[in-house]
């Protein structure tokens, strides 16, 4: 039992199914085997040359760069720093006139309203709003906070900021007034862009009203731009509030893009970690955009005629890189949806895939598990034959959820790209290249060309043996990495670099690498369990539970135990009604035995509790910290207002 090396995470579970690229897909793929190998070799042999080649080929520069990587102030790295460009020109103007009449954005509101915005129209809309910002004195370097529903104007406002060099900071529309206030104050924003409201879950979310509540606490804000979306009446302060439709009608439709330095901050995006206040993750212009374009092609295999749908809200990094920037930079057609997946019924996503002939679909495991729980009949009702590629992001995808996605959505024809990355990394880091990579359900595959990942123990030594878990780190700077934490460079170093003396970027995730070099993310290192001296990741036990036919979702945490150090406590959402009484007892016996058989006796949960749902962040990640407190019988001290479903905690504690 103690022959395991210290400081690594044990892996007890091996997934054996493999899926080579379908021949038809591979033959037409944007990146084929020879090109993939050329890229991998070039990145290995001439790292900076590789990135320079990509940056010259993929970006339109106003002034070409002569410096590639500047590491003189490491780990505050700079890329292409003497080059000048404009991100919005790279996303829109460069496609004109060739793509003038091609749809840039297809939009569907939750009530069912449809819009189609061409590249030519997008240029006009973005230019008008950029001029509207300027007419209220917003200039290069000013911060603009967006608090918007998922409508095209959210993307238009982001692009408009990029056009004039204003730094946007999008706050997810589901966040509370307190969260909005903290972020506005930290960024010292000069303006806020919001809407009267948006449609979500069959209700109107009153964004302007939330804003009104806190805006007097934010002295830096002189203007609030208000989009009319729902049409309900709102409070009005004529000194500060301006209607989007009124001010954009008063300005010119022509706004030349400003030439900006490659390192000019494109945006801040606040993320909450396990401790402390949210951090303003700061991204660059050129390096960030370069990564989004490359991954659109490498991972999403984007080609002419595609309709690309990423279901993430623009309030998350996924909605930045794969809604607002990447798809436009790649010149594709992107679909945006305002509302919730279950409105009016759990077939909404599949109905939309049919209606808009979506070819590449990208969503999160939490959505896949939720839709799987609703039954196979919903996707079966729709023609999903336009789909050719599926993607997953946000959490490890349990192999059983992967198989359902592959069978019932992809009809065994579509590769699934499981993309591992973070707000801080800006773009996909470890992901399949779908025309080349053989897929293994539950693994995100190998690092992309130019991304140097590794797994190290807590001394920072590489863990070389296959299947030994450790810290997932990135060993060389890459162009789309975060640049710093806004106005807090020390926190940037302390959080991401200090533990291994600034040698590696520390992701905070635990992972293992198998004998084929495939990475298996095991969960956040903060969530690792220690049972009888064994360090176990949460992912494998959860996946074993989810593989049982009666389990829809599962989360596993440790609870202090005198005998074993920590005892495993599982929270389970069953398919159908919540098990109670003798049924619950019998299911618990069955699941304990199931986990014992699938992983090993050490991983058997000591207790299993049943719930209607699990506490999740607004972006759908399970909050294991909250569950740890519940499992230990401690009061929940977390700020539960940031949870998607705060009520669920009472049910969990009630048992
Ligand atoms: C894109 C995003 C980052 C954290 C990350 C992981 C987890 C994301 C995957 C994943 C396993 C994946 N940014 N994570 N994608 N774990 N497989 N494909 O989600 O900043 O919000 O979260 O999400 O723990 O560190 S994020």
């Amino acid at each position: 039992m103690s022959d395991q090396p210290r400081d690594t995470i044990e892996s007890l579970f091996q997934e054996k199914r493999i899926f080579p690229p379908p021949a038809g897909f591979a033959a037409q793929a944007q990146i084929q085997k020879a090109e993939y190998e050329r890229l991998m070799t070039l990145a290995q042999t001439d790292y900076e040359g590789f990135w320079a080649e990509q940056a010259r080929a993929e970006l339109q520069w106003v002034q070409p760069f002569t410096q590639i990587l500047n590491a003189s102030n490491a780990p505050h790295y700079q890329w292409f720093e003497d080059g000048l460009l404009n991100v919005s020109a790279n996303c829109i103007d460069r496609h004109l006139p060739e793509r003038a009449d091609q749809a840039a954005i297809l939009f569907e509101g939750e009530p069912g309203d449809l819009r189609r915005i061409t590249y030519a129209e997008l240029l006009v809309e973005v230019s008008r709003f950029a001029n509207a910002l300027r007419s209220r004195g917003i200039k290069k370097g000013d911060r603009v906070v967006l608090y918007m529903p998922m409508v095209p104007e959210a993307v238009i406002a982001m692009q408009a900021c990029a056009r004039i060099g204003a730094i946007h900071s999008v706050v997810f529309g589901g966040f509370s007034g307190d969260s909005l206030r903290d972020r506005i104050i930290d960024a010292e924003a000069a303006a806020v862009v919001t809407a009267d409201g948006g449609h979500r879950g069959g209700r109107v979310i009153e964004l302007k009203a939330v804003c009104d509540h806190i805006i007097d606490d934010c002295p830096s804000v002189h203007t609030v731009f208000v989009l009319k979306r729902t049409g309900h009446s709102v409070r009005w302060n004529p000194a500060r509030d301006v209607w989007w439709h009124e001010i954009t009608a008063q300005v010119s439709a022509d706004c030349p893009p400003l030439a900006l330095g490659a390192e000019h901050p494109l945006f801040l995006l606040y993320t909450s970690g396990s401790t402390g206040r949210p951090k303003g993750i700061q991204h660059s212009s050129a390096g960030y955009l370069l990564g989004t374009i490359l991954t659109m092609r490498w991972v999403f295999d984007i080609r002419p005629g595609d309709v690309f749908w990423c279901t993430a809200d623009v309030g998350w990094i996924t909605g930045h890189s794969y809604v607002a920037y990447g798809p436009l930079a790649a010149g594709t057609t992107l679909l945006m949806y305002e509302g919730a997946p279950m409105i009016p019924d759990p077939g909404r996503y599949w109905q939309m895939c049919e209606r808009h002939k979506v070819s590449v679909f990208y969503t999160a495991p939490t959505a896949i598990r939720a839709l799987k729980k609703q039954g196979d009949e919903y996707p079966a009702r729709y023609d999903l034959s336009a789909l050719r590629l599926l993607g997953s992001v946000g959490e490890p995808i349990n192999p059983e959820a992967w198989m359902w996605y592959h069978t019932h959505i992809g009809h065994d024809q579509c590769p699934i790209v499981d993309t591992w990355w973070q707000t801080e990394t800006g773009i996909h880091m470890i992901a399949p290249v779908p025309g080349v990579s053989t897929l293994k359900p539950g693994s995100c595959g190998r690092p992309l060309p130019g991304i140097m990942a590794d797994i190290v123990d807590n001394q920072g030594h590489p863990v070389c043996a296959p299947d030994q878990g450790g810290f997932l780190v990135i060993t060389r700077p890459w162009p789309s990495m975060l640049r710093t934490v806004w106005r807090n460079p020390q926190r940037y170093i302390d959080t991401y670099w200090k533990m291994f003396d600034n040698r590696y970027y520390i992701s905070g995730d635990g992972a293992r690498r198998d004998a084929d070099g495939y990475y298996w993310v095991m969960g956040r290192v903060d969530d690792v369990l220690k049972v009888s001296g064994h360090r176990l990741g949460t992912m494998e036990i959860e996946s074993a539970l989810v593989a049982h036919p009666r389990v829809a979702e599962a989360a596993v945490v440790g609870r202090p135990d005198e005998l074993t150090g920590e005892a495993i406590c599982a929270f389970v959402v069953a398919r159908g009604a919540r098990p109670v009484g003798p049924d619950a007892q019998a299911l618990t016996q069955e699941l304990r035995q199931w986990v014992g058989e699938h992983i090993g006796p050490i991983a058997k949960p000591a207790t299993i509790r049943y719930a209607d749902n699990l506490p999740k962040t607004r972006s759908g990640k399970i909050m294991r910290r909250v569950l740890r407190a519940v499992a230990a019988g401690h009061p929940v001290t977390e700020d539960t207002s940031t949870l998607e479903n705060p009520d669920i905690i009472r049910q969990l504690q009630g048992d």
Side-chain angles (χ1 to χ4, degrees), residues 435-515:
V436 177
S437 311
T438 288
L439 308 173
K440 303 186 185 189
S443 166
C444 49
R446 280 178 289 219
L448 289 170
I451 302 300
M452 305 300 171
D454 208 347
I455 293 176
V456 300
D457 65 20
N458 72 351
Q459 309 294 311
H461 301 308
V463 173
C464 296
D467 294 319
Q468 283 290 311
F471 293 84
L472 175 52
V473 297
I474 311 295
T475 61
R476 297 192 76 164
W478 65 103
S480 58
M481 65 192 292
L482 77 164
R483 293 303 189 261
T484 190
V485 173
W486 176 251
R487 292 193 175 159
N488 203 341
Q490 193 56 46
R491 197 160 173 211
Y492 166 72
I493 292 170
D494 292 348
T495 310
Y496 302 108
W497 298 92
K498 204 166 86 185
M499 181 175 178
F500 300 126
D501 306 320
N502 295 359
R503 279 177 297 154
Y504 312 131
Y505 167 81
I506 302 156
S507 72
D509 283 1
R512 69 182 164 95
R513 191 170 44 213
D514 70 17

Side-chain angles (χ1 to χ4, degrees), residues 226-381:
V226 187
L227 176 76
K228 189 171 270 189
R229 164 67 184 142
T230 56
H232 68 269
S233 66
V234 291
R235 259 175 45 192
W236 206 255
N237 173 348
R240 192 166 49 204
D241 300 340
V242 295
W243 282 112
W244 176 298
H245 60 274
E246 288 180 359
I247 194 158
T248 52
Q250 290 160 15
V251 295
S252 158
D254 181 40
C255 178
L258 195 62
L260 296 161
E263 284 290 324
H264 182 71
L266 181 61
F267 64 85
L268 312 178
L269 185 57
Y270 284 83
T271 73
S272 9
S274 48
T275 51
R277 299 193 313 134
K279 301 182 283 286
I281 302 300
Q282 180 181 320
H283 276 284
S284 71
S285 293
Y288 172 80
L289 190 69
L290 175 62
T292 69
I293 301 178
L294 290 172
T295 50
M296 286 303 294
R297 176 141 15 85
W298 292 348
V299 180
F300 291 132
D301 190 47
I302 285 303
R303 62 176 79 141
D306 271 325
V307 176
F308 175 79
W309 185 14
C310 164
T311 65
D313 191 280
V314 287
W316 313 119
I317 189 68
T318 309
H320 283 60
S321 304
Y322 302 109
V323 177
Y325 290 108
L328 297 175
T332 194
T333 295
L334 88 102
L335 175 61
M336 280 181 85
Y337 171 52
E338 177 185 30
M342 307 287 177
I343 305 290
D345 69 41
R348 182 65 179 262
Y349 275 5
W350 320 128
Q351 180 192 50
M352 286 183 58
C353 284
E354 174 183 286
R355 178 182 298 136
H356 301 284
K357 301 196 168 52
V358 173
S359 54
V360 180
F361 178 74
Y362 188 40
T363 196
T366 180
I368 298 166
R369 290 189 301 260
L371 293 165
K372 174 175 185 274
K373 186 181 179 205
Q374 302 296 318
D376 306 344
E377 61 271 25
Y378 290 101
R381 279 182 206 157

Side-chain angles (χ1 to χ4, degrees), residues 27-190:
Q28 289 183 47
Q30 297 294 300
I31 303 295
Q32 309 226 346
K33 202 163 197 292
E35 173 65 358
Y36 174 76
E37 276 161 9
R38 186 190 77 84
L39 292 170
M40 291 298 279
T41 309
L42 184 58
Q44 285 293 343
T45 51
D46 179 12
Y47 186 73
E48 292 186 29
F50 165 84
W51 283 114
E53 173 191 301
Q54 301 300 327
R56 288 194 188 99
E58 302 294 343
L59 298 175
Q60 247 181 23
W61 295 91
V62 178
Q63 177 188 296
F65 60 91
T66 63
Q67 297 187 10
I68 307 170
L69 171 64
N70 178 350
S72 61
N73 191 24
H76 286 93
Y77 296 98
Q78 311 227 293
W79 285 88
F80 320 122
E81 63 180 309
D82 61 343
L84 294 176
L85 85 178
N86 182 279
V87 167
S88 143
N90 271 275
C91 292
I92 309 172
D93 309 45
R94 76 184 300 184
H95 303 307
L96 300 173
E98 292 80 5
R99 297 183 201 278
D101 299 324
Q102 180 195 312
I105 302 179
L106 299 172
F107 169 73
E108 191 167 318
E110 194 178 78
D113 49 318
L114 303 175
R115 285 165 71 186
R116 177 178 190 274
I117 300 170
T118 65
Y119 272 94
E121 290 163 346
L122 185 63
L123 178 62
V124 171
E125 298 291 322
V126 168
S127 300
R128 281 195 184 279
F129 194 66
N131 283 331
L133 290 168
R134 290 206 305 203
S135 76
R136 297 289 295 198
I138 306 292
K139 55 183 191 311
K140 175 179 165 182
D142 287 352
R143 275 80 56 210
V144 175
V145 164
L146 272 61
Y147 189 60
M148 297 282 279
M150 258 305 270
V151 295
E153 282 77 6
V155 171
I156 291 166
M158 293 163 84
Q159 289 282 345
C161 288
R163 207 162 178 85
I164 63 170
I167 303 168
H168 61 69
S169 173
V170 183
V171 177
F172 173 56
F175 276 149
S176 65
D178 288 348
S179 311
L180 177 62
R181 180 207 289 117
D182 292 349
R183 286 158 174 77
I184 294 173
I185 290 174
D186 192 76
E188 280 188 81

Side-chain angles (χ1 to χ4, degrees), residues 578-589:
R578 178 159 87 113
V580 289
D583 177 37
Q585 282 165 16
L587 183 57
T588 296
Q589 284 314 310

Side-chain angles (χ1 to χ4, degrees), residues 269 271 316-318 322 362 365 392-397 417-425 427-428 430 442-444 472 505 507-510 520-525 539 619 621:
L269 185 57
T271 73
W316 313 119
I317 189 68
T318 309
Y322 302 109
Y362 188 40
S392 172
V393 59
E395 285 181 291
I397 180 167
V417 286
D418 176 359
T419 59
W420 178 84
W421 60 296
Q422 306 177 296
T423 303
E424 293 85 347
T425 71
I427 56 161
H428 304 156
I430 308 182
S443 166
C444 49
L472 175 52
Y505 167 81
S507 72
D509 283 1
W520 299 77
V521 175
M522 302 166 84
R524 303 290 297 167
V525 284
M539 169 62 183
S619 65
K621 295 191 211 295

Side-chain angles (χ1 to χ4, degrees), residues 587-603:
L587 183 57
T588 296
Q589 284 314 310
E590 199 177 316
L591 291 177
R592 281 175 41 83
Q593 189 171 347
W594 174 272
V595 173
E597 282 163 13
H598 280 72
I599 308 188
I602 183 87

